[in-house]
Amino acid sequence: MPSATPVHILEEVEVKAPLLEERFTTLKKSLVRPEHKQKVIESWGRLLKVLESEVQRIQKHGPVSVPEIDFNDVRKNGGALPEDFANIVRDRGCVILRNVVPVEQAEAWEAELKDYTQRHPGVGGYPPEKPASWSLWWTRPQTQIRSHPQVMEAMKCVSQLWHVTDPSTPIDFDSQVVYPDRLRIRYPSKDGEYTLAAHLDSGSTERWEDSEYRANYQAIFEGNWQDWDGWSADRRIDAKSDLYDTGTSCSCWRSLQGWLSLSHTGTGEGTLRLLPNLKASVAYMMLRPLFLSGEFDDSQPTFPGAVPGKNQFYPTQEFHPHLGIEKGIVGIPPVKPGDYVFWHCDLVHEVDRFHPGERDSSVVYNACNPLTPYNVASLVKTRESFLKVEVPQDFRTFEHALEREYQHEDNGAKRENILSAAGLQALGLTKFDDAEEGLTPGQREIRRLANAQLGFA
């Protein structure tokens, strides 16, 4: 490996990561086969050089490193991202779709949500003393947003960034499943700290520990990280992100996390921060446990940033110095009401610690959740939560609100608040069209499975 670059000098500083159970040494030894070891070592050296260059690029360009496009241009292009632009999005792992819904509509939703929280403060949220993330899932604006025709179009558009090599794989990117998440209304405060450090969702040690999850990164463990395809879904659908049955893990595979902006929010004003490089950052995080000493070493049960039984992975400057977390993570460009922000499920992200702006930073979380066997099982429970106006399953173990939405006559879990046919399907209220022309065998199979489990067969 080269030893003259600043990055490699950092790599020679050995760090003492927390020791896990000894079984994790056995796991680590299984990651790289003997015939791939030398190639992995050589690929690590190349990776550090690329990361150094990428961090410098991100630092130089700042928020404009996050690709953005007017959704009206997307609609004129048949609902698809232009191919050259789509390739940039695949590289960066994130995108902002501008003007998905009219500003006036998004502002009206924000006003209604603020009014709801003022009338029902007992629903609470986090932080408990002055909630920013409210324990609300079934307000009228949330239900309408998840089913708004243009929101559904936007999700279908970015879902096409993904692909499968086997057309019989039971997955349908043209269909969505509702994953009911919360909303954020963050008030300006130069003193109030909001802690959500750099992280990845959807599991912790599971990325290495679950064989199907790990299979998504096989090219990286064979020394071919440059060939890793982060947008291939073939091995995603059976990956287990909660091996420890914590009850707080995400019960739905969110291929792209996302939120719709309801406010005018500038960069650094209590909003999202991203590391806009997918391939090199993921390769580094997956290989880092093997190179903590600066040399290939699979003899210790160390997976820094990952804790068994936790639901998130936390890279840090101490244990992942080459990610350049302090320089490579940037605030997203300013957003206005109606803009939609998406980021890949493997992309490092965090939230501004402070909100020094003058206006509230408001969003409704709404991720892309394609139709898969795992997501169908989630949908069955989501439909039940909607019909009962109850807390969704993933939030039941740690939500301690004084009030529940079913107690409010003005809750939004009503069929008339669902604004599209696709929205009705996404909530499991009507059947998926398994006879549609042009479906792949996998799409047809998963739609039939969904209909059967939802009682429509």
Side-chain angles (χ1 to χ4, degrees), residues 399-443:
E399 293 296 330
H400 303 288
L402 298 176
E403 299 177 15
R404 294 299 191 203
E405 289 177 87
Y406 67 79
Q407 298 173 292
H408 306 153
E409 291 186 4
D410 57 346
N411 73 72
K414 300 176 175 66
R415 196 180 182 105
E416 62 260 30
N417 292 325
I418 302 172
L419 304 181
S420 65
L424 287 167
Q425 291 174 336
L427 261 175
L429 299 177
T430 58
K431 70 179 297 185
F432 293 92
D433 184 1
D434 56 22
E436 180 182 342
E437 292 187 8
L439 295 179
T440 66
Q443 285 179 299

mmCIF file of all heavy atoms in Angstrom, residues 399-443:
data_model
loop_
_atom_site.group_PDB
_atom_site.id
_atom_site.type_symbol
_atom_site.label_atom_id
_atom_site.label_comp_id
_atom_site.label_asym_id
_atom_site.label_seq_id
_atom_site.Cartn_x
_atom_site.Cartn_y
_atom_site.Cartn_z
ATOM 1 N N GLU A 399 -42.770 4.679 22.587
ATOM 2 C CA GLU A 399 -43.609 5.865 22.575
ATOM 3 C C GLU A 399 -44.461 5.887 23.852
ATOM 4 O O GLU A 399 -45.162 4.944 24.150
ATOM 5 C CB GLU A 399 -44.513 5.872 21.334
ATOM 6 C CG GLU A 399 -43.746 6.037 20.038
ATOM 7 C CD GLU A 399 -43.041 7.372 19.934
ATOM 8 O OE1 GLU A 399 -43.540 8.363 20.506
ATOM 9 O OE2 GLU A 399 -41.991 7.428 19.276
ATOM 10 N N HIS A 400 -44.349 6.976 24.606
ATOM 11 C CA HIS A 400 -45.068 7.069 25.873
ATOM 12 C C HIS A 400 -45.899 8.354 25.919
ATOM 13 O O HIS A 400 -45.834 9.118 26.872
ATOM 14 C CB HIS A 400 -44.095 7.016 27.042
ATOM 15 C CG HIS A 400 -43.233 5.794 27.042
ATOM 16 N ND1 HIS A 400 -43.722 4.542 27.346
ATOM 17 C CD2 HIS A 400 -41.935 5.618 26.743
ATOM 18 C CE1 HIS A 400 -42.741 3.650 27.256
ATOM 19 N NE2 HIS A 400 -41.651 4.275 26.884
ATOM 20 N N ALA A 401 -46.668 8.579 24.877
ATOM 21 C CA ALA A 401 -47.498 9.770 24.803
ATOM 22 C C ALA A 401 -48.673 9.666 25.780
ATOM 23 O O ALA A 401 -49.140 8.572 26.120
ATOM 24 C CB ALA A 401 -48.016 9.955 23.388
ATOM 25 N N LEU A 402 -49.155 10.816 26.228
ATOM 26 C CA LEU A 402 -50.309 10.854 27.118
ATOM 27 C C LEU A 402 -51.611 10.668 26.343
ATOM 28 O O LEU A 402 -52.631 10.280 26.917
ATOM 29 C CB LEU A 402 -50.341 12.194 27.869
ATOM 30 C CG LEU A 402 -49.143 12.473 28.779
ATOM 31 C CD1 LEU A 402 -49.260 13.865 29.390
ATOM 32 C CD2 LEU A 402 -49.035 11.420 29.873
ATOM 33 N N GLU A 403 -51.558 10.964 25.048
ATOM 34 C CA GLU A 403 -52.749 10.832 24.216
ATOM 35 C C GLU A 403 -52.445 9.958 23.011
ATOM 36 O O GLU A 403 -51.299 9.858 22.576
ATOM 37 C CB GLU A 403 -53.217 12.214 23.715
ATOM 38 C CG GLU A 403 -53.599 13.185 24.803
ATOM 39 C CD GLU A 403 -53.974 14.545 24.235
ATOM 40 O OE1 GLU A 403 -54.209 14.637 23.005
ATOM 41 O OE2 GLU A 403 -54.019 15.512 25.010
ATOM 42 N N ARG A 404 -53.491 9.340 22.480
ATOM 43 C CA ARG A 404 -53.375 8.565 21.256
ATOM 44 C C ARG A 404 -54.269 9.195 20.193
ATOM 45 O O ARG A 404 -55.301 9.812 20.510
ATOM 46 C CB ARG A 404 -53.813 7.111 21.488
ATOM 47 C CG ARG A 404 -52.907 6.340 22.426
ATOM 48 C CD ARG A 404 -51.491 6.236 21.899
ATOM 49 N NE ARG A 404 -50.699 5.295 22.669
ATOM 50 C CZ ARG A 404 -49.377 5.323 22.738
ATOM 51 N NH1 ARG A 404 -48.702 6.270 22.101
ATOM 52 N NH2 ARG A 404 -48.716 4.425 23.443
ATOM 53 N N GLU A 405 -53.907 8.985 18.950
ATOM 54 C CA GLU A 405 -54.652 9.629 17.876
ATOM 55 C C GLU A 405 -56.083 9.132 17.770
ATOM 56 O O GLU A 405 -56.978 9.880 17.360
ATOM 57 C CB GLU A 405 -53.908 9.438 16.547
ATOM 58 C CG GLU A 405 -52.620 10.247 16.460
ATOM 59 C CD GLU A 405 -51.861 9.981 15.179
ATOM 60 O OE1 GLU A 405 -52.145 10.650 14.167
ATOM 61 O OE2 GLU A 405 -50.978 9.092 15.208
ATOM 62 N N TYR A 406 -56.333 7.886 18.138
ATOM 63 C CA TYR A 406 -57.703 7.371 18.046
ATOM 64 C C TYR A 406 -58.644 8.104 18.994
ATOM 65 O O TYR A 406 -59.873 8.050 18.843
ATOM 66 C CB TYR A 406 -57.752 5.867 18.299
ATOM 67 C CG TYR A 406 -57.413 5.433 19.708
ATOM 68 C CD1 TYR A 406 -58.341 5.538 20.743
ATOM 69 C CD2 TYR A 406 -56.164 4.888 20.001
ATOM 70 C CE1 TYR A 406 -58.044 5.136 22.029
ATOM 71 C CE2 TYR A 406 -55.838 4.482 21.279
ATOM 72 C CZ TYR A 406 -56.779 4.607 22.294
ATOM 73 O OH TYR A 406 -56.465 4.215 23.572
ATOM 74 N N GLN A 407 -58.069 8.815 19.976
ATOM 75 C CA GLN A 407 -58.878 9.590 20.906
ATOM 76 C C GLN A 407 -59.347 10.908 20.301
ATOM 77 O O GLN A 407 -60.210 11.575 20.877
ATOM 78 C CB GLN A 407 -58.086 9.874 22.185
ATOM 79 C CG GLN A 407 -57.670 8.619 22.950
ATOM 80 C CD GLN A 407 -56.739 8.948 24.109
ATOM 81 O OE1 GLN A 407 -55.601 9.367 23.913
ATOM 82 N NE2 GLN A 407 -57.233 8.775 25.318
ATOM 83 N N HIS A 408 -58.784 11.276 19.159
ATOM 84 C CA HIS A 408 -59.090 12.565 18.548
ATOM 85 C C HIS A 408 -60.083 12.386 17.401
ATOM 86 O O HIS A 408 -59.820 11.637 16.456
ATOM 87 C CB HIS A 408 -57.813 13.224 18.008
ATOM 88 C CG HIS A 408 -56.721 13.342 19.020
ATOM 89 N ND1 HIS A 408 -55.382 13.378 18.679
ATOM 90 C CD2 HIS A 408 -56.765 13.438 20.384
ATOM 91 C CE1 HIS A 408 -54.658 13.499 19.774
ATOM 92 N NE2 HIS A 408 -55.469 13.530 20.819
ATOM 93 N N GLU A 409 -61.192 13.075 17.465
ATOM 94 C CA GLU A 409 -62.174 12.981 16.393
ATOM 95 C C GLU A 409 -61.626 13.512 15.074
ATOM 96 O O GLU A 409 -62.073 13.120 13.995
ATOM 97 C CB GLU A 409 -63.441 13.757 16.776
ATOM 98 C CG GLU A 409 -64.237 13.109 17.906
ATOM 99 C CD GLU A 409 -65.548 13.828 18.157
ATOM 100 O OE1 GLU A 409 -65.855 14.776 17.400
ATOM 101 O OE2 GLU A 409 -66.253 13.457 19.109
ATOM 102 N N ASP A 410 -60.648 14.428 15.161
ATOM 103 C CA ASP A 410 -60.091 15.034 13.952
ATOM 104 C C ASP A 410 -58.851 14.299 13.446
ATOM 105 O O ASP A 410 -58.048 14.871 12.698
ATOM 106 C CB ASP A 410 -59.768 16.509 14.193
ATOM 107 C CG ASP A 410 -58.814 16.728 15.370
ATOM 108 O OD1 ASP A 410 -58.610 15.782 16.157
ATOM 109 O OD2 ASP A 410 -58.295 17.851 15.501
ATOM 110 N N ASN A 411 -58.655 13.037 13.838
ATOM 111 C CA ASN A 411 -57.537 12.276 13.274
ATOM 112 C C ASN A 411 -57.770 12.093 11.777
ATOM 113 O O ASN A 411 -58.892 12.204 11.285
ATOM 114 C CB ASN A 411 -57.349 10.936 13.989
ATOM 115 C CG ASN A 411 -58.431 9.927 13.626
ATOM 116 O OD1 ASN A 411 -58.454 9.391 12.515
ATOM 117 N ND2 ASN A 411 -59.335 9.663 14.579
ATOM 118 N N GLY A 412 -56.689 11.784 11.064
ATOM 119 C CA GLY A 412 -56.777 11.734 9.606
ATOM 120 C C GLY A 412 -56.852 10.347 9.015
ATOM 121 O O GLY A 412 -56.779 10.196 7.783
ATOM 122 N N ALA A 413 -57.000 9.324 9.849
ATOM 123 C CA ALA A 413 -57.033 7.945 9.345
ATOM 124 C C ALA A 413 -58.406 7.621 8.786
ATOM 125 O O ALA A 413 -59.149 6.791 9.327
ATOM 126 C CB ALA A 413 -56.637 6.975 10.443
ATOM 127 N N LYS A 414 -58.740 8.294 7.706
ATOM 128 C CA LYS A 414 -60.038 8.128 7.076
ATOM 129 C C LYS A 414 -59.838 7.931 5.578
ATOM 130 O O LYS A 414 -58.973 8.560 4.957
ATOM 131 C CB LYS A 414 -60.924 9.344 7.333
ATOM 132 C CG LYS A 414 -61.191 9.601 8.817
ATOM 133 C CD LYS A 414 -61.982 10.878 9.022
ATOM 134 C CE LYS A 414 -62.363 11.077 10.490
ATOM 135 N NZ LYS A 414 -61.180 11.301 11.360
ATOM 136 N N ARG A 415 -60.663 7.090 4.998
ATOM 137 C CA ARG A 415 -60.492 6.735 3.596
ATOM 138 C C ARG A 415 -60.571 7.958 2.676
ATOM 139 O O ARG A 415 -59.886 8.024 1.657
ATOM 140 C CB ARG A 415 -61.546 5.699 3.201
ATOM 141 C CG ARG A 415 -61.247 4.962 1.896
ATOM 142 C CD ARG A 415 -62.340 3.951 1.588
ATOM 143 N NE ARG A 415 -62.062 3.200 0.366
ATOM 144 C CZ ARG A 415 -61.649 1.949 0.327
ATOM 145 N NH1 ARG A 415 -61.429 1.298 1.459
ATOM 146 N NH2 ARG A 415 -61.426 1.339 -0.840
ATOM 147 N N GLU A 416 -61.387 8.951 3.047
ATOM 148 C CA GLU A 416 -61.537 10.122 2.179
ATOM 149 C C GLU A 416 -60.267 10.969 2.105
ATOM 150 O O GLU A 416 -60.141 11.839 1.237
ATOM 151 C CB GLU A 416 -62.714 10.995 2.639
ATOM 152 C CG GLU A 416 -62.553 11.573 4.038
ATOM 153 C CD GLU A 416 -63.321 10.776 5.082
ATOM 154 O OE1 GLU A 416 -63.490 9.550 4.880
ATOM 155 O OE2 GLU A 416 -63.745 11.388 6.082
ATOM 156 N N ASN A 417 -59.323 10.720 3.002
ATOM 157 C CA ASN A 417 -58.055 11.457 2.971
ATOM 158 C C ASN A 417 -57.006 10.795 2.083
ATOM 159 O O ASN A 417 -55.904 11.316 1.942
ATOM 160 C CB ASN A 417 -57.500 11.621 4.381
ATOM 161 C CG ASN A 417 -58.356 12.532 5.234
ATOM 162 O OD1 ASN A 417 -58.935 13.499 4.731
ATOM 163 N ND2 ASN A 417 -58.453 12.235 6.524
ATOM 164 N N ILE A 418 -57.347 9.668 1.503
ATOM 165 C CA ILE A 418 -56.422 8.981 0.584
ATOM 166 C C ILE A 418 -56.723 9.483 -0.818
ATOM 167 O O ILE A 418 -57.830 9.330 -1.329
ATOM 168 C CB ILE A 418 -56.585 7.461 0.695
ATOM 169 C CG1 ILE A 418 -56.323 7.028 2.137
ATOM 170 C CG2 ILE A 418 -55.626 6.756 -0.260
ATOM 171 C CD1 ILE A 418 -56.636 5.578 2.411
ATOM 172 N N LEU A 419 -55.725 10.090 -1.447
ATOM 173 C CA LEU A 419 -55.959 10.909 -2.626
ATOM 174 C C LEU A 419 -55.727 10.222 -3.966
ATOM 175 O O LEU A 419 -55.835 10.872 -5.001
ATOM 176 C CB LEU A 419 -55.064 12.158 -2.547
ATOM 177 C CG LEU A 419 -55.227 13.017 -1.285
ATOM 178 C CD1 LEU A 419 -54.292 14.225 -1.345
ATOM 179 C CD2 LEU A 419 -56.666 13.452 -1.096
ATOM 180 N N SER A 420 -55.419 8.934 -3.971
ATOM 181 C CA SER A 420 -55.151 8.262 -5.249
ATOM 182 C C SER A 420 -55.417 6.772 -5.130
ATOM 183 O O SER A 420 -55.418 6.202 -4.029
ATOM 184 C CB SER A 420 -53.696 8.484 -5.683
ATOM 185 O OG SER A 420 -52.809 7.860 -4.766
ATOM 186 N N ALA A 421 -55.605 6.150 -6.297
ATOM 187 C CA ALA A 421 -55.789 4.700 -6.323
ATOM 188 C C ALA A 421 -54.532 3.989 -5.847
ATOM 189 O O ALA A 421 -54.601 2.994 -5.108
ATOM 190 C CB ALA A 421 -56.153 4.250 -7.736
ATOM 191 N N ALA A 422 -53.369 4.511 -6.253
ATOM 192 C CA ALA A 422 -52.106 3.910 -5.796
ATOM 193 C C ALA A 422 -51.954 4.057 -4.292
ATOM 194 O O ALA A 422 -51.373 3.191 -3.627
ATOM 195 C CB ALA A 422 -50.930 4.560 -6.524
ATOM 196 N N GLY A 423 -52.476 5.161 -3.738
ATOM 197 C CA GLY A 423 -52.422 5.358 -2.298
ATOM 198 C C GLY A 423 -53.271 4.355 -1.550
ATOM 199 O O GLY A 423 -52.899 3.889 -0.466
ATOM 200 N N LEU A 424 -54.417 3.998 -2.107
ATOM 201 C CA LEU A 424 -55.262 2.968 -1.496
ATOM 202 C C LEU A 424 -54.555 1.618 -1.494
ATOM 203 O O LEU A 424 -54.590 0.870 -0.506
ATOM 204 C CB LEU A 424 -56.594 2.864 -2.253
ATOM 205 C CG LEU A 424 -57.595 4.002 -2.043
ATOM 206 C CD1 LEU A 424 -58.709 3.926 -3.078
ATOM 207 C CD2 LEU A 424 -58.178 3.962 -0.631
ATOM 208 N N GLN A 425 -53.892 1.294 -2.604
ATOM 209 C CA GLN A 425 -53.132 0.043 -2.663
ATOM 210 C C GLN A 425 -51.989 0.049 -1.655
ATOM 211 O O GLN A 425 -51.745 -0.956 -0.977
ATOM 212 C CB GLN A 425 -52.579 -0.155 -4.078
ATOM 213 C CG GLN A 425 -53.633 -0.445 -5.127
ATOM 214 C CD GLN A 425 -53.051 -0.499 -6.525
ATOM 215 O OE1 GLN A 425 -52.002 0.088 -6.806
ATOM 216 N NE2 GLN A 425 -53.723 -1.212 -7.425
ATOM 217 N N ALA A 426 -51.297 1.173 -1.542
ATOM 218 C CA ALA A 426 -50.132 1.264 -0.660
ATOM 219 C C ALA A 426 -50.498 1.102 0.807
ATOM 220 O O ALA A 426 -49.642 0.773 1.633
ATOM 221 C CB ALA A 426 -49.417 2.605 -0.873
ATOM 222 N N LEU A 427 -51.772 1.314 1.146
ATOM 223 C CA LEU A 427 -52.251 1.091 2.509
ATOM 224 C C LEU A 427 -52.946 -0.256 2.656
ATOM 225 O O LEU A 427 -53.488 -0.566 3.717
ATOM 226 C CB LEU A 427 -53.203 2.215 2.929
ATOM 227 C CG LEU A 427 -52.598 3.327 3.785
ATOM 228 C CD1 LEU A 427 -53.608 4.436 4.015
ATOM 229 C CD2 LEU A 427 -52.091 2.786 5.117
ATOM 230 N N GLY A 428 -52.954 -1.047 1.589
ATOM 231 C CA GLY A 428 -53.559 -2.366 1.664
ATOM 232 C C GLY A 428 -55.069 -2.348 1.656
ATOM 233 O O GLY A 428 -55.713 -3.317 2.077
ATOM 234 N N LEU A 429 -55.680 -1.261 1.158
ATOM 235 C CA LEU A 429 -57.137 -1.137 1.171
ATOM 236 C C LEU A 429 -57.790 -1.615 -0.112
ATOM 237 O O LEU A 429 -59.008 -1.843 -0.137
ATOM 238 C CB LEU A 429 -57.520 0.318 1.455
ATOM 239 C CG LEU A 429 -57.043 0.856 2.810
ATOM 240 C CD1 LEU A 429 -57.400 2.323 2.951
ATOM 241 C CD2 LEU A 429 -57.639 0.047 3.962
ATOM 242 N N THR A 430 -57.019 -1.719 -1.180
ATOM 243 C CA THR A 430 -57.520 -2.305 -2.422
ATOM 244 C C THR A 430 -56.444 -3.220 -2.984
ATOM 245 O O THR A 430 -55.259 -3.106 -2.636
ATOM 246 C CB THR A 430 -57.871 -1.224 -3.467
ATOM 247 O OG1 THR A 430 -56.710 -0.430 -3.740
ATOM 248 C CG2 THR A 430 -58.993 -0.319 -2.971
ATOM 249 N N LYS A 431 -56.837 -4.116 -3.870
ATOM 250 C CA LYS A 431 -55.893 -5.110 -4.379
ATOM 251 C C LYS A 431 -54.954 -4.524 -5.425
ATOM 252 O O LYS A 431 -55.280 -3.548 -6.103
ATOM 253 C CB LYS A 431 -56.645 -6.315 -4.947
ATOM 254 C CG LYS A 431 -57.400 -6.049 -6.242
ATOM 255 C CD LYS A 431 -58.096 -7.307 -6.752
ATOM 256 C CE LYS A 431 -57.111 -8.395 -7.093
ATOM 257 N NZ LYS A 431 -57.741 -9.594 -7.708
ATOM 258 N N PHE A 432 -53.791 -5.146 -5.536
ATOM 259 C CA PHE A 432 -52.835 -4.809 -6.578
ATOM 260 C C PHE A 432 -53.231 -5.516 -7.863
ATOM 261 O O PHE A 432 -53.735 -6.643 -7.833
ATOM 262 C CB PHE A 432 -51.423 -5.226 -6.153
ATOM 263 C CG PHE A 432 -50.873 -4.438 -4.998
ATOM 264 C CD1 PHE A 432 -51.047 -4.886 -3.691
ATOM 265 C CD2 PHE A 432 -50.191 -3.251 -5.199
ATOM 266 C CE1 PHE A 432 -50.547 -4.171 -2.606
ATOM 267 C CE2 PHE A 432 -49.688 -2.526 -4.126
ATOM 268 C CZ PHE A 432 -49.866 -2.977 -2.836
ATOM 269 N N ASP A 433 -53.000 -4.860 -8.990
ATOM 270 C CA ASP A 433 -53.383 -5.419 -10.289
ATOM 271 C C ASP A 433 -52.336 -6.442 -10.726
ATOM 272 O O ASP A 433 -51.300 -6.085 -11.283
ATOM 273 C CB ASP A 433 -53.512 -4.294 -11.317
ATOM 274 C CG ASP A 433 -54.006 -4.797 -12.674
ATOM 275 O OD1 ASP A 433 -54.255 -6.018 -12.797
ATOM 276 O OD2 ASP A 433 -54.116 -3.972 -13.598
ATOM 277 N N ASP A 434 -52.617 -7.715 -10.490
ATOM 278 C CA ASP A 434 -51.660 -8.760 -10.864
ATOM 279 C C ASP A 434 -51.874 -9.263 -12.287
ATOM 280 O O ASP A 434 -51.178 -10.168 -12.747
ATOM 281 C CB ASP A 434 -51.702 -9.926 -9.874
ATOM 282 C CG ASP A 434 -53.085 -10.529 -9.723
ATOM 283 O OD1 ASP A 434 -53.910 -10.365 -10.646
ATOM 284 O OD2 ASP A 434 -53.348 -11.156 -8.682
ATOM 285 N N ALA A 435 -52.844 -8.656 -12.994
ATOM 286 C CA ALA A 435 -53.089 -9.034 -14.388
ATOM 287 C C ALA A 435 -52.609 -7.959 -15.363
ATOM 288 O O ALA A 435 -52.809 -8.080 -16.573
ATOM 289 C CB ALA A 435 -54.572 -9.294 -14.611
ATOM 290 N N GLU A 436 -51.973 -6.931 -14.836
ATOM 291 C CA GLU A 436 -51.499 -5.828 -15.691
ATOM 292 C C GLU A 436 -50.522 -6.342 -16.744
ATOM 293 O O GLU A 436 -49.653 -7.168 -16.466
ATOM 294 C CB GLU A 436 -50.819 -4.761 -14.822
ATOM 295 C CG GLU A 436 -50.294 -3.563 -15.598
ATOM 296 C CD GLU A 436 -49.587 -2.565 -14.705
ATOM 297 O OE1 GLU A 436 -49.790 -2.618 -13.473
ATOM 298 O OE2 GLU A 436 -48.830 -1.726 -15.234
ATOM 299 N N GLU A 437 -50.658 -5.831 -17.950
ATOM 300 C CA GLU A 437 -49.761 -6.231 -19.026
ATOM 301 C C GLU A 437 -48.362 -5.670 -18.791
ATOM 302 O O GLU A 437 -48.196 -4.582 -18.262
ATOM 303 C CB GLU A 437 -50.296 -5.740 -20.375
ATOM 304 C CG GLU A 437 -51.572 -6.428 -20.828
ATOM 305 C CD GLU A 437 -51.970 -6.018 -22.240
ATOM 306 O OE1 GLU A 437 -51.159 -5.319 -22.893
ATOM 307 O OE2 GLU A 437 -53.066 -6.387 -22.677
ATOM 308 N N GLY A 438 -47.352 -6.438 -19.203
ATOM 309 C CA GLY A 438 -45.976 -5.965 -19.134
ATOM 310 C C GLY A 438 -45.261 -6.232 -17.832
ATOM 311 O O GLY A 438 -44.096 -5.847 -17.674
ATOM 312 N N LEU A 439 -45.917 -6.883 -16.889
ATOM 313 C CA LEU A 439 -45.270 -7.180 -15.609
ATOM 314 C C LEU A 439 -44.203 -8.247 -15.793
ATOM 315 O O LEU A 439 -44.354 -9.169 -16.601
ATOM 316 C CB LEU A 439 -46.290 -7.674 -14.590
ATOM 317 C CG LEU A 439 -47.377 -6.693 -14.128
ATOM 318 C CD1 LEU A 439 -48.307 -7.396 -13.137
ATOM 319 C CD2 LEU A 439 -46.768 -5.442 -13.507
ATOM 320 N N THR A 440 -43.127 -8.146 -15.027
ATOM 321 C CA THR A 440 -42.152 -9.230 -14.986
ATOM 322 C C THR A 440 -42.747 -10.377 -14.172
ATOM 323 O O THR A 440 -43.696 -10.173 -13.392
ATOM 324 C CB THR A 440 -40.845 -8.776 -14.337
ATOM 325 O OG1 THR A 440 -41.087 -8.487 -12.946
ATOM 326 C CG2 THR A 440 -40.273 -7.542 -15.031
ATOM 327 N N PRO A 441 -42.214 -11.587 -14.304
ATOM 328 C CA PRO A 441 -42.707 -12.687 -13.464
ATOM 329 C C PRO A 441 -42.609 -12.359 -11.974
ATOM 330 O O PRO A 441 -43.502 -12.728 -11.196
ATOM 331 C CB PRO A 441 -41.795 -13.855 -13.845
ATOM 332 C CG PRO A 441 -41.362 -13.547 -15.251
ATOM 333 C CD PRO A 441 -41.219 -12.049 -15.301
ATOM 334 N N GLY A 442 -41.547 -11.661 -11.578
ATOM 335 C CA GLY A 442 -41.382 -11.307 -10.176
ATOM 336 C C GLY A 442 -42.425 -10.308 -9.704
ATOM 337 O O GLY A 442 -42.957 -10.424 -8.584
ATOM 338 N N GLN A 443 -42.728 -9.313 -10.537
ATOM 339 C CA GLN A 443 -43.773 -8.343 -10.185
ATOM 340 C C GLN A 443 -45.127 -9.032 -10.026
ATOM 341 O O GLN A 443 -45.867 -8.759 -9.074
ATOM 342 C CB GLN A 443 -43.880 -7.264 -11.259
ATOM 343 C CG GLN A 443 -42.763 -6.237 -11.257
ATOM 344 C CD GLN A 443 -42.948 -5.230 -12.367
ATOM 345 O OE1 GLN A 443 -42.969 -5.576 -13.552
ATOM 346 N NE2 GLN A 443 -43.092 -3.958 -12.001
#
